[in-house]
């Protein structure tokens, strides 16, 4: 990081939490929450550049807002919210959204920031006797005396911050800290989860992971539709007639099927808000995706490339073992016949997958488990829907093109799962094309497919079983063309609703004990995999239900 200037607000973050500083400054990772949005609201007035700020030799400074000054000597750059002049001296005033401590003294993180602002002003020739912090909740200022001891401490903290910035890995999370509950980066940092996996805490992890986002995917399935944007909303029209409209604030992904057009303005609006756009065939095959700027978490992609080149470093074995165990659990819970032998075989194959030493052997184990599982799959289908599973019983799993209704449902749900995990890998900062188990080839999102393995039975297969057994899809919902079977437009929408319901289902996380939706657990698992890739935690633990 040498050659850069360290923002004074980043020194504030370092004092608050060294890991938070590292994630934001070194890895350039950031996420908003209610507190950060409120902070922006508090700063809206002082962020506007107003007032003259002459240097001391050029005149008196009366009041100036949003003034940026730097110090090469300190290696710091500071944006001062407000500078007030008082009879030859100036007072830096920094605005904070919260309250001071109970004894009416400033928080150390706020104190160091305003001290650095004072030091930068002093280096530019201003006379500064004290500084002030304005806390918005009580609407009052707290004075900070600029003693030699306090200023020396501020300089030492800057040196410590630079030392941490030069480290190859982020500091470990705080243990049982109340700070984590209000941190905007808690969903990226996963402090309690990381500490639990590293055995740094004895208590079960707190439910710190943020609640499910309000945003949901927008699916556009109408052939010939056009997606534009107007007044902060995505607008879907066909032949200039409005079909639907969605607020961009409520949109997690824009997913278009088949012959649907998306305007350049809509793409730009999505990219500006970090909304990925994914194009699928009318049958659900992922054709491509687009996003705005790539994640700045370059170190993660560098490590991902290294692990990919090394052949997965044991990660593939754990992923496939998790998948096999989840297949076994789904079958055990839903089979309507005697599948005892199959369950025993799947348990044995999961153990083999964990301990196999060669990639070819792992492929063999996974292939054997898949054949046993799909051979027993029709036993989970009720007698009322048996006709839709009859051809599958004879042909087994076949996907290109799906030759029967059950294969068509499985293929569509697997495509939706892959689509979601592409979006998640992009959000985490992973490269969706550089896989661990799945080999990379043109147009294949190998990393998303890797993460999908443990969720195929948990999400996709479960959706298919539920759709058939609940009578939500019937023979009339499928189109047969030669040797291929596809979903009708109405059936596809029915499947999408069922798939989204499944993602909103809450479960108890087997490793961490708290309740969490499948939508959120997929994000957590992707972040845990990233933590393994950068060496923060020793091994990947797949999501395995009991």
């Amino acid at each position: 990081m040498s050659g850069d200037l360290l923002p004074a607000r980043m020194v504030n973050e370092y004092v608050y939490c060294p890991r938070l500083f590292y994630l934001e400054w070194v890895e350039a990772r950031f996420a908003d929450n209610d507190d950060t949005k409120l902070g922006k609201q508090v700063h809206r007035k002082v962020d506007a550049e107003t007032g003259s700020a002459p240097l001391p030799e050029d005149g008196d400074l009366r009041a100036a807002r949003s003034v940026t000054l730097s110090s090469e000597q300190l290696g710091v750059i500071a944006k001062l919210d407000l500078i007030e002049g008082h009879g030859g001296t100036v007072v830096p005033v920094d605005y904070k959204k919260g309250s001071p401590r109970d004894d009416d003294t400033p928080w150390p993180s706020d104190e160091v920031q305003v001290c650095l602002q004072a030091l930068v002003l002093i280096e530019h020739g201003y006379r500064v006797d004290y500084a002030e912090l304005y806390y918005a909740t009580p609407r009052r200022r707290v004075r900070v005396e600029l003693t030699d001891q306090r200023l020396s401490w501020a300089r030492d903290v800057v040196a410590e911050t630079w030392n941490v910035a030069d480290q190859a890995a982020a500091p470990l999370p705080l243990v049982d800290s109340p700070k984590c509950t209000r941190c905007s980066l808690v969903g990226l940092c996963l402090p309690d989860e990381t500490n639990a996996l590293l055995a740094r805490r004895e208590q079960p992890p707190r439910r710190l992971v943020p609640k499910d986002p309000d945003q949901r995917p927008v699916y556009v399935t109408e052939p010939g539709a056009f997606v534009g944007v107007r007044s902060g909303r995505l607008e879907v029209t066909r032949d200039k007639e409005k079909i639907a409209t969605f607020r961009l604030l409520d949109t997690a992904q824009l997913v278009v099927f088949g012959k649907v057009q998306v305007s350049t303005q809509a793409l730009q609006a999505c990219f500006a808000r970090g909304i990925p756009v994914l194009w699928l065939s009318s049958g659900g095959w992922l054709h491509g995706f687009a996003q705005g700027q790539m994640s700045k978490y370059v170190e993660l992609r560098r490590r991902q490339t290294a692990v990919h080149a090394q052949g997965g470093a044991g990660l593939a074995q754990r992923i496939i073992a998790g998948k096999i165990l989840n297949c076994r659990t789904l079958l055990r819970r839903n089979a309507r016949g005697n599948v005892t032998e199959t369950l025993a075989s799947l348990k044995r194959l999961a153990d083999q997958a964990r301990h196999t030493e060669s990639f070819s052997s792992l492929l063999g184990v996974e292939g054997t488990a898949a054949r046993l599982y799909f051979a027993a799959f029709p036993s989970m289908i009720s007698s009322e829907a048996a006709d839709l599973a009859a051809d599958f019983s004879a042909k087994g799993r076949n996907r290109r093109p799906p030759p029967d209704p059950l294969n068509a449902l499985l293929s569509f749900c697997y495509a939706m799962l892959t689509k979601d995990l592409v979006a998640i890998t992009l959000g985490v900062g992973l490269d969706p094309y550089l896989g661990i188990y799945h080999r990379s080839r043109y147009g294949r999102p190998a990393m998303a497919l890797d993460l999908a393995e443990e969720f195929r039975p948990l999400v996709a297969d479960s959706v298919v079983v539920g759709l058939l057994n609940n009578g939500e899809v019937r023979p009339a919902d499928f189109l047969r063309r030669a040797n291929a079977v596809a979903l009708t437009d109405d059936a596809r929408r029915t499947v999408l609703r069922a798939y989204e319901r499944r993602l909103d289902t809450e479960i108890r996380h087997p490793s961490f004990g708290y309740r969490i939706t499948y939508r959120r657990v997929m994000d957590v698992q992707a972040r845990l995999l990233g933590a393994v890739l950068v060496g923060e935690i020793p091994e990947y633990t797949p999501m395995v239900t009991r």
Side-chain angles (χ1 to χ4, degrees):
M1 304 294 295
S2 59
D4 292 331
L5 291 174
L6 188 65
R9 65 180 180 83
M10 283 293 124
V11 184
N12 173 308
E13 302 283 35
Y14 170 79
V15 173
Y16 185 82
C17 171
R19 182 176 174 85
L20 173 64
F21 156 73
Y22 195 95
L23 296 181
E24 287 195 353
W25 173 242
V26 181
E27 296 180 351
R29 302 162 72 189
F30 184 76
D32 261 324
N33 68 358
D34 291 343
D35 285 341
T36 60
K37 291 174 183 175
L38 179 59
K40 292 175 183 177
Q41 182 75 3
V42 168
H43 274 83
R44 69 191 187 282
K45 182 184 292 186
V46 293
D47 280 345
E49 295 182 359
T50 59
S52 176
L55 291 171
E57 62 269 22
D58 297 328
D60 292 333
L61 187 155
R62 295 183 179 180
R65 300 181 187 273
S66 191
V67 178
T68 300
L69 292 172
S70 64
S71 166
E72 294 291 341
Q73 181 180 346
L74 278 173
V76 167
I77 186 169
K79 184 176 182 181
L80 289 79
D81 292 338
L82 173 64
I83 311 173
E84 294 179 338
H86 294 284
T89 68
V90 297
V91 178
V93 183
D94 201 51
Y95 278 55
K96 300 299 178 185
K97 65 172 181 59
S99 302
R101 295 195 290 189
D102 292 340
D103 60 358
D104 208 36
T105 59
W107 297 99
S109 54
D110 299 338
E111 186 177 316
V112 74
Q113 184 174 355
V114 79
C115 284
L116 291 176
Q117 293 175 2
L119 284 169
V120 171
L121 284 168
I122 292 169
E123 187 173 321
H124 282 79
Y126 294 98
R127 179 183 165 191
V128 187
D129 294 334
Y130 64 92
E132 290 183 338
L133 286 154
Y134 172 77
Y135 286 99
T137 299
R139 296 185 178 181
R140 69 170 182 270
R141 296 186 181 190
V142 174
R143 181 163 167 154
V144 178
E145 299 294 342
L146 300 176
T147 64
D148 291 342
Q149 182 181 5
R150 186 169 279 131
L151 294 179
S152 177
W153 166 71
R155 294 187 185 95
D156 290 342
V157 171
V158 171
E160 292 174 15
T161 308
W162 276 117
N163 287 335
V164 170
D166 288 336
Q167 294 176 5
L172 290 174
L174 302 176
V175 177
D176 297 328
S177 173
K179 296 177 181 179
C180 299
T181 59
R182 299 290 295 270
C183 180
S184 66
L185 266 62
V186 66
L188 283 65
C189 172
L190 300 179
D192 281 18
E193 293 82 354
T194 301
N195 287 330
L197 293 171
L198 293 174
R200 299 180 72 222
R201 70 190 311 271
E202 296 180 0
Q203 301 87 350
R206 295 165 292 178
R207 179 63 165 80
L208 295 178
V209 176
K211 67 178 182 178
D212 279 321
D214 296 327
Q215 295 87 354
R216 290 292 184 269
V218 169
Y219 296 98
V220 184
T221 62
E222 188 72 21
F226 178 83
V227 183
V229 65
R230 178 178 296 181
S231 302
R233 303 180 73 93
L234 290 174
E235 200 169 81
V236 185
T237 60
R238 183 177 179 183
D239 298 329
K240 298 185 179 181
E241 180 182 348
K242 187 186 296 185
I243 299 174
T245 179
F246 307 91
R247 293 199 313 168
L248 282 162
L249 288 173
D250 298 332
T251 304
Q253 312 160 12
L254 174 58
V255 188
V256 296
F257 291 80
K259 297 179 180 179
V260 175
Q261 300 292 322
V262 183
S263 73
T264 301
Q265 292 85 350
L267 289 174
Q268 290 175 338
C270 287
F271 297 161
R273 291 166 175 79
I275 301 170
V277 182
L278 302 104
W279 286 267
L280 289 80
S281 70
S282 57
W285 297 110
L286 181 64
H287 282 171
F289 57 87
Q291 62 168 350
Q293 293 289 338
M294 290 183 66
S295 165
K296 297 177 182 178
Y297 193 6
V298 178
E299 180 63 16
L300 175 58
R301 291 196 295 277
R302 189 183 73 81
R303 298 290 187 95
Q304 181 186 358
T305 303
V307 172
H308 166 81
Q310 294 164 5
L315 287 167
Q317 286 86 339
R318 301 183 67 82
I319 288 171
I320 296 305
K323 172 194 175 180
I324 296 172
L325 289 174
N326 286 333
C327 289
R328 180 179 182 273
T329 298
L330 187 69
L331 193 59
R332 176 172 54 81
R333 290 177 178 175
N334 296 280
R336 297 164 187 262
N338 186 358
V339 293
T340 304
E341 188 176 337
T342 301
L343 295 178
S345 296
L346 290 175
K347 186 175 183 180
R348 184 176 62 254
L349 288 166
D351 187 62
Q352 290 179 16
R354 276 192 294 264
H355 298 96
T356 186
E357 295 184 358
S358 70
F359 183 74
S360 59
S361 297
L362 183 62
L363 284 172
V365 169
E366 195 269 341
T368 301
R371 285 192 296 273
L372 290 171
Y373 171 66
F374 284 118
F377 199 98
S379 70
M380 294 188 283
I381 308 304
S382 67
S383 56
E384 291 80 3
D387 53 338
L388 291 174
D391 289 343
F392 186 90
S393 298
K395 300 176 182 178
R397 176 72 181 123
N398 199 323
R399 52 187 175 173
R400 292 207 175 186
D404 59 81
L406 185 46
N407 267 303
L409 284 169
L410 288 169
S411 292
F412 186 78
C413 288
Y414 289 163
M416 294 305 98
L417 183 62
T418 302
K419 173 268 299 181
D420 276 327
L421 285 161
V422 165
I424 286 170
T425 53
L426 291 172
V428 170
L430 292 161
D431 185 333
Y433 288 109
L434 277 181
I436 294 165
Y437 177 65
H438 291 84
R439 300 298 91 185
S440 297
R441 66 170 185 246
Y442 179 77
R444 186 188 208 186
M447 175 54 74
L449 292 171
D450 286 347
L451 284 164
E453 290 295 346
E454 65 204 69
F455 292 103
R456 288 179 188 269
L458 296 177
V459 176
D461 296 356
S462 180
V463 168
V464 171
V465 171
L467 284 166
L468 292 173
N469 290 346
N470 295 333
E472 294 180 76
V473 291
R474 301 179 182 279
D477 291 318
F478 298 90
L479 299 173
R480 295 181 181 270
R481 293 189 178 92
N483 193 38
V485 173
L487 291 159
T488 65
D489 290 343
D490 286 342
R492 190 162 55 240
R493 286 188 279 270
T494 298
V495 176
L496 287 173
R497 286 192 292 270
Y499 174 79
E500 289 293 317
R501 283 200 310 270
R502 182 62 176 172
L503 291 185
D504 286 332
T505 301
E506 276 199 353
I507 57 166
R508 188 171 297 281
H509 197 288
S511 297
F512 307 130
Y514 50 58
R515 296 193 65 78
I516 187 172
T517 64
Y518 281 114
R519 191 184 304 278
R520 178 59 76 182
V521 80
M522 290 196 297
D523 181 77
V524 169
Q525 292 301 120
R527 295 189 186 281
L528 290 176
L529 181 59
V532 174
L533 293 175
V534 299
E536 192 167 82
I537 56 178
E539 60 184 21
Y540 179 69
T541 302
M543 172 69 186
V544 177
T545 57
R546 297 183 176 88

